[in-house]
Amino acid sequence: MTGFIILDKPEGISSFIGGAIVRRVTGEKKTGHTGTLDPMATGVLPVAVGGNAPRFIELLPSHDKGYRASFRLGTTTDTLDITGTVLSTSDNIPDEEAVKKIIAHFQGEILQLPPMYSAIKKDGKRLYELARQGIEVEREKRIVTIYNCDFVSFENGEYTIDVKCSKGTYIRSLISDIGEMLGCGAVMTALRRTLSNGFSINDAHTEEELKSAEDVSQFIIPVDKALEAYPAIKVSEAQTKRFRNGGELDAARLHTKLVPSLYRVYSPDNKFLGLGEYRENETNLFVKRVFVND
């Protein structure tokens, strides 16, 4: 059983525990997830299962993320979400139209300061470990891309937005910046990841669904399907053997005009062999990653 299972991570557990859930229901020892979700967050957690599937995580074509997030104005906390210690409150709350204008402002490349309560390392230590000791360290702002930040609703004093963004974006920080720009502060109250590495919430399955399935393998997304944004190429029997042994292939013998890219490589009987890489001004297709099935 080798591929990806997309877990709809429940609230209150870490991504590590999410991976453990998938290990238990599949009986596989090798798993790896594609990006940490905060314990309070729910939604898409792609988990690579079996074989050497975890080694393909970094080669997935898309690392963009999508979220639906809710927030409340007039409060700030040390964690930037509702689980933290309150640092400030304000009664000077702007109206809905003002909030919508500010939300729309967050588009394109922005500089974002990573929160102290995050898994980023500083001098070998996770920032959240330092934060729990009451230590705040200097962090560098990073460039992230917000492809869209759309207003969804305003109900019971909370705003909900849909965000599509680049890898490394912190939605808690985005909401904090929105609150700062509005002059009243803001705190995230809920977060659901709807898109990760090309997998959507429609691909995700709850722990209950996985546990109750007669055959959990029905939920496996094959590794090559997860990589289907890359072009495919079929090779001969001799080339199959060479590729599996890590040898590069003569591009002129592949009978396909190659452009610089990663390629899904298949044997004559359509078995997925792995990813090859063709580089500009090179004459060979190099082995990027060999696929090993259980």
Side-chain angles (χ1 to χ4, degrees):
M1 190 186 303
T2 303
F4 290 88
I5 284 182
I6 315 306
L7 177 68
D8 187 346
K9 188 188 86 66
E11 186 176 357
I13 67 168
S14 67
S15 296
F16 178 81
I17 297 300
I21 289 171
V22 174
R23 278 198 301 277
R24 285 197 297 269
V25 297
T26 60
E28 295 287 344
K29 295 180 180 179
K30 298 178 183 177
T31 64
H33 60 78
T34 67
T36 301
L37 261 179
D38 291 342
M40 75 170 286
T42 68
V44 177
L45 182 67
V47 181
V49 177
N52 67 338
R55 296 193 66 225
F56 283 84
I57 289 173
E58 63 179 316
L59 300 172
L60 289 168
S62 172
H63 290 273
D64 293 337
K65 305 289 194 293
Y67 298 92
R68 174 158 289 193
S70 297
F71 64 91
R72 185 184 306 154
L73 298 178
T75 301
T76 66
T77 69
D78 56 352
T79 60
L80 309 186
D81 62 40
I82 201 66
T83 68
T85 301
V86 174
L87 299 178
S88 69
T89 59
S90 172
D91 294 325
N92 186 25
I93 307 299
D95 62 25
E96 187 175 328
E97 287 307 309
V99 177
K100 286 180 179 178
K101 286 181 182 178
I102 293 299
I103 288 172
H105 172 82
F106 286 88
Q107 303 273 353
E109 288 190 346
I110 65 171
L111 277 173
Q112 187 177 80
L113 183 68
M116 274 302 301
Y117 281 87
S118 65
I120 294 172
K121 285 187 176 181
K122 176 79 171 181
D123 298 328
K125 285 196 172 183
R126 303 283 186 186
L127 288 184
Y128 66 77
E129 294 174 344
L130 298 173
R132 287 169 182 167
Q133 298 172 38
I135 301 171
E136 183 165 351
V137 296
E138 187 175 340
R139 291 98 70 202
E140 291 185 4
K141 288 189 174 183
R142 304 187 301 181
I143 296 175
V144 298
T145 303
I146 308 295
Y147 302 111
N148 62 268
C149 184
D150 298 328
F151 170 84
V152 175
S153 65
F154 176 56
E155 296 179 0
N156 301 319
E158 292 191 358
Y159 287 88
T160 298
I161 55 176
D162 278 340
V163 181
K164 186 177 180 184
C165 54
S166 62
K167 176 183 177 181
T169 303
Y170 284 92
I171 304 302
R172 285 176 290 143
S173 294
L174 173 66
I175 287 171
S176 177
D177 290 344
I178 289 172
E180 185 176 349
M181 191 169 286
L182 288 166
C184 61
V187 63
M188 188 175 75
T189 56
L191 183 66
R192 182 161 178 77
R193 188 155 68 187
T194 56
L195 177 71
S196 178
N197 300 97
F199 304 110
S200 81
I201 196 65
N202 295 326
D203 301 313
H205 306 283
T206 65
E207 179 180 1
E208 290 71 26
E209 287 178 304
L210 296 175
K211 286 181 175 178
S212 63
E214 290 185 11
D215 182 6
V216 73
S217 66
Q218 67 182 295
F219 298 125
I220 288 281
I221 298 173
V223 171
D224 60 326
K225 181 172 176 57
L227 302 169
E228 63 184 0
Y230 299 127
I233 189 169
K234 187 177 287 190
V235 300
S236 68
E237 286 287 359
Q239 290 167 331
T240 293
K241 184 175 181 180
R242 181 172 176 82
F243 187 90
R244 280 177 168 160
N245 289 327
E248 66 267 21
L249 306 180
D250 186 345
R253 294 180 141 191
L254 295 175
H255 308 296
T256 300
K257 182 175 175 56
L258 301 181
V259 297
S261 176
L262 293 178
Y263 285 83
R264 288 175 293 137
V265 181
Y266 291 87
S267 67
D269 57 352
N270 292 317
K271 288 183 179 178
F272 178 56
L273 303 176
L275 285 178
E277 181 179 19
Y278 183 70
R279 305 164 190 161
E280 196 165 2
N281 300 321
E282 294 283 357
T283 59
N284 292 331
L285 180 76
F286 294 88
V287 176
K288 185 69 174 179
R289 192 78 80 241
V290 173
F291 176 66
V292 179
N293 204 346
D294 282 346

